[in-house]
Amino acid sequence: MSTRTSHGRTRTGRIVVLAAALACGSLLVSCGSGDDSGGSSVSPRPTPPNTASFTGTAPSAMASAASSIIESASARASAAASSAAARASEFEASVSAETARSAAVAEKALKDVKDGGNARSEVAMTGLPTAETGGLRAVLVTITNKTDKKASYAVQVDFKNPDGKIVETRFVGAENLEPGARKQPIVISREPTEPRLTPALAKAQRY
């Protein structure tokens, strides 16, 4: 009687242990799938990207776009150059209309002047920004009658290269200036902007 009872208890104990083991295994699987912060988890298999959602430009389209940009930039540069040339022409025309006759008179008046003239102290020069002249090299000549009598003036401006050689000579003048009055004609160089030239007051004669 006691032997049968002991055998029955042994079988019952094994069944309980097996059930507990199965329950624990189920619990571990459940815990592992819910929180991977404290234990290992299985990473999902990566999926390939959906190329339909990619953005960008195909090589042929990029080449076409680059060509369009270059053409547009060239057109703008050409337009800017044409505009600058037009401004230069307008500026020179306005100055020439005002000073052409006085320049001829001044050159004639200075023909026999051997030295720097008698009115260098009454003449000053200031370079004008190329942004205002359409890219031309221009000099504002200020002539002031510092005497107590009406007088006329003739001025010679030489443009020198970096070596000090005179490469261009221009003339300008002012006629019948009242005492204390001044006039500001403009001298324009027709030489290329490079190499850089420096204007110098060569002669200034009061007559």
Side-chain angles (χ1 to χ4, degrees), residues 76-164:
R76 289 196 299 270
S78 178
S82 299
S83 179
R87 291 196 303 271
S89 297
E90 292 174 1
F91 177 79
E92 187 171 12
S94 65
V95 172
S96 297
E98 181 181 351
T99 62
R101 188 188 67 81
S102 62
V105 173
E107 183 176 6
K108 183 178 180 180
L110 290 171
K111 184 177 181 179
D112 297 326
V113 176
K114 302 301 181 183
D115 54 13
N118 61 9
R120 291 176 62 87
S121 63
E122 297 173 69
V123 177
M125 300 194 308
T126 304
L128 296 178
T130 55
E132 298 178 4
T133 64
L136 296 176
R137 183 184 295 106
V139 180
L140 179 67
V141 180
T142 301
I143 303 171
T144 305
N145 183 358
K146 297 181 180 180
T147 71
D148 56 358
K149 297 179 180 179
K150 183 184 294 187
S152 296
Y153 294 81
V155 177
Q156 176 182 325
V157 178
D158 291 339
F159 288 90
K160 300 180 180 181
N161 65 15
D163 295 330

Side-chain angles (χ1 to χ4, degrees), residues 125 137 139 157-168 189 193 195-201:
M125 300 194 308
R137 183 184 295 106
V139 180
V157 178
D158 291 339
F159 288 90
K160 300 180 180 181
N161 65 15
D163 295 330
K165 180 181 178 180
I166 297 174
V167 298
E168 184 180 21
S189 170
T193 56
R196 185 180 181 86
L197 301 180
T198 302
L201 177 60

